[in-house]
Amino acid sequence: MANNDPIQVAELQARIAALEAELAAVRRTQSVFALGLAHDMRTPLRAVESFSYLLEQRSDTLDAQSRDHLHRIREASARMARLLARMQSWMHVGTVPMAHGEVDLSLLADWCAGELRDASPEREAMIDIAPALRAHGDERLLKTALQELLHNAWTYARPGAPISIHVDGDRTPDGLHLRIRDDGIGFDTTQATKLGEPFQRLHANDYPDGCGLGLAIARAVAERHGGRLRLVSTAGQGTVAHLFLPAHATPAPVMETT
Amino acid sequence: MSLAPVLLIEDNLDDVELTRLAFVEAGISHPLVVANDGAIALDWLHGRGVHAGRDATQLPALVLLDLNLPKLDGREVMQAIRANPATRHLPVVALSSSGEPFDIDTSFASGVDSYLQKPVEFERFIEEMKRLRAQWLDARRSDQA
């Protein structure tokens, strides 16, 4: 039964306002910290990357063990550079001002599929994209989300088997329900309660190049559109990413920066 | 005739060394003059303070300006360069590790002619220096010839 006691309602509203203010403060701190980290770490990383590159140009003057150590430094700095770039992407999708319009997701998905094929032309892949999948939102952000979801489907295909990805969706009165379905290695849903949060990785041992930010980026894009991302998977049988986008985006608040 | 120098305003000594090396790789033969903070850079440009006696009519061919500087911020240095009739028309390229739209927008608002995000990879930095040479050094030399 609904509680109409005006005193209790006022107390609850005050409590909600206090929690929202607290949440905004936490988000602001996280945002400033992450931006500072991604920005200020570039300078020392640049020194490590550049001077080790210059040393590598003269590696014939080094003994075998020194060359091995140098190779490890180069690999580590390349990993760090990828991680920083991914962190900046994640921060970017959370803070960039949005431009709203009608977006052709079929076209964007086709574009993303082309980029994946170009990057790995040796992989046999069948990517089937339904036509006329349209949504209201920010084209660049939605392309980023599709890039991440298709990249995940591509990356976690079964080793040695042709890649198979299907993109389709349903238009409902509430908006668009987009599905990206693969028949890859999948994952155990019970192990994935935090999937979509930054740095959550399920296949870290087999895929060490991942950063655990791809799904976090896709989820952030969904949430900025007032939508959501859900993953359904069975280990060994593939994954379906469900992206829900409302008919008229009611954007989530931008992560604040100073 | 000797080439006018490029003035690099940069406090990070690693970045100074990398810029020197990238100049060599990019075939830039202009001498590199380094100022480690904004106040020293303005002294050099105007022949005053620690650079009293330098002929201030000898302007650099190009200024490379880091944005995060001690004493005077890069944007303040930029405003001082644009406010002085003697240096108002100097070509200035901002160098920064930031690719944030806020930093890019405020740099252009302060008067820089171009903005270059310092790449992490040295090979890409060399490519950027080659582009910079073509756009700001070689093209201007042929204009003046």
Side-chain angles (χ1 to χ4, degrees):
Chain A
M1 201 172 97
N3 187 340
N4 293 324
D5 182 340
I7 297 173
Q8 281 199 12
V9 169
E11 280 174 0
L12 286 171
Q13 284 174 335
R15 182 72 187 133
I16 289 169
L19 286 171
E20 282 178 344
E22 205 175 310
L23 182 62
V26 170
R27 277 190 170 143
R28 194 159 48 242
T29 305
Q30 282 181 332
S31 170
V32 169
F33 183 74
L35 270 176
L37 199 66
H39 175 237
D40 289 351
M41 280 182 66
R42 278 179 66 95
T43 302
L45 175 63
R46 185 171 131 81
V48 173
E49 158 64 29
S50 299
F51 288 116
S52 65
Y53 166 82
L54 289 162
L55 199 53
E56 194 176 53
Q57 300 307 297
R58 295 188 287 115
S59 61
D60 53 343
T61 62
L62 302 175
D63 62 32
Q65 190 179 36
S66 300
R67 277 200 297 277
D68 175 58
H69 291 172
L70 178 59
H71 177 69
R72 290 168 193 268
I73 292 170
R74 300 279 300 144
E75 291 284 311
S77 72
R79 277 200 302 278
M80 179 72 85
R82 281 197 298 274
L83 176 59
L84 276 186
R86 303 293 285 149
M87 283 178 67
Q88 284 177 318
S89 292
W90 178 61
M91 290 308 304
H92 178 77
V93 299
T95 56
V96 68
M98 289 174 72
H100 286 275
E102 286 299 308
V103 179
D104 185 340
L105 295 177
S106 301
L107 186 69
L108 292 184
D110 200 40
W111 188 355
C112 297
E115 288 173 346
L116 288 167
R117 285 197 175 98
D118 288 348
S120 306
E122 74 287 356
R123 283 303 301 263
E124 188 184 341
M126 199 283 289
I127 304 180
D128 174 39
I129 300 168
L133 298 167
R134 291 194 174 83
H136 185 83
D138 182 293
E139 187 174 57
R140 283 180 306 171
L141 286 181
L142 290 171
K143 182 182 178 230
T144 301
L146 288 174
Q147 262 174 331
E148 298 297 346
L149 295 173
L150 285 165
H151 182 265
N152 252 36
W154 180 286
T155 303
Y156 300 112
R158 280 174 288 131
I163 293 167
S164 175
I165 303 172
H166 295 270
V167 181
D168 62 11
D170 298 318
R171 180 161 285 285
T172 70
D174 294 334
L176 180 72
H177 170 195
L178 185 81
R179 289 177 294 268
I180 297 176
R181 188 190 313 268
D182 67 62
D183 66 349
I185 59 174
F187 58 86
D188 178 354
T189 311
T190 60
Q191 301 293 312
T193 52
K194 291 184 175 175
L195 208 63
E197 291 183 15
F199 307 114
Q200 297 299 319
R201 300 173 59 198
L202 291 175
H203 304 295
N205 292 334
D206 296 329
Y207 298 86
D209 286 346
C211 304
L213 283 168
L215 290 176
I217 289 169
R219 191 173 98 165
V221 171
E223 289 176 353
R224 287 214 58 193
H225 285 79
R228 65 189 193 280
L229 174 69
R230 192 163 64 92
L231 296 176
V232 177
S233 186
T234 306
Q237 294 180 32
T239 301
V240 186
H242 299 265
L243 180 63
F244 299 93
L245 295 168
H248 296 289
T250 47
V254 174
M255 282 192 268
E256 294 180 42
T257 56
T258 54
Chain B
M1 194 176 115
S2 61
L3 294 170
V6 172
L7 173 61
L8 172 65
I9 311 174
E10 170 67 76
D11 65 317
N12 184 297
L13 298 183
D14 289 333
D15 278 348
V16 170
E17 178 64 6
L18 291 175
T19 306
R20 277 189 204 287
L21 293 166
F23 263 41
V24 173
E25 296 290 336
I28 298 176
S29 45
H30 292 251
L32 190 65
V33 172
V34 179
N36 294 127
D37 68 50
I40 291 175
L42 293 175
D43 280 353
W44 187 87
L45 282 171
H46 299 301
R48 68 187 187 205
V50 295
H51 288 289
R54 193 191 82 83
D55 180 0
T57 63
Q58 299 296 309
L59 292 171
L62 177 67
V63 177
L64 298 178
L65 175 64
D66 182 34
L67 293 181
N68 295 314
L69 292 167
K71 298 182 186 173
L72 275 181
D73 176 62
R75 294 165 190 85
E76 294 173 294
V77 174
M78 193 60 244
Q79 284 158 7
I81 287 174
R82 290 291 180 252
N84 190 309
T87 54
R88 179 172 295 159
H89 301 295
L90 274 178
V92 179
V93 176
L95 292 178
S96 174
S97 55
S98 169
E100 292 302 314
F102 174 82
D103 288 322
I104 297 170
D105 292 346
T106 54
S107 297
F108 279 109
S110 72
V112 303
D113 295 290
S114 185
Y115 186 101
L116 170 60
Q117 184 184 18
K118 299 172 194 170
V120 168
E121 300 82 9
F122 189 66
E123 287 170 291
R124 282 185 51 211
F125 190 45
I126 293 170
E127 292 308 310
E128 294 290 357
M129 288 297 111
K130 285 179 180 171
R131 271 194 281 276
L132 181 137
R133 171 189 162 182
Q135 184 175 0
W136 295 105
L137 297 172
D138 293 352
R140 282 167 181 263
R141 269 159 59 191
S142 57
D143 285 349
Q144 289 161 7

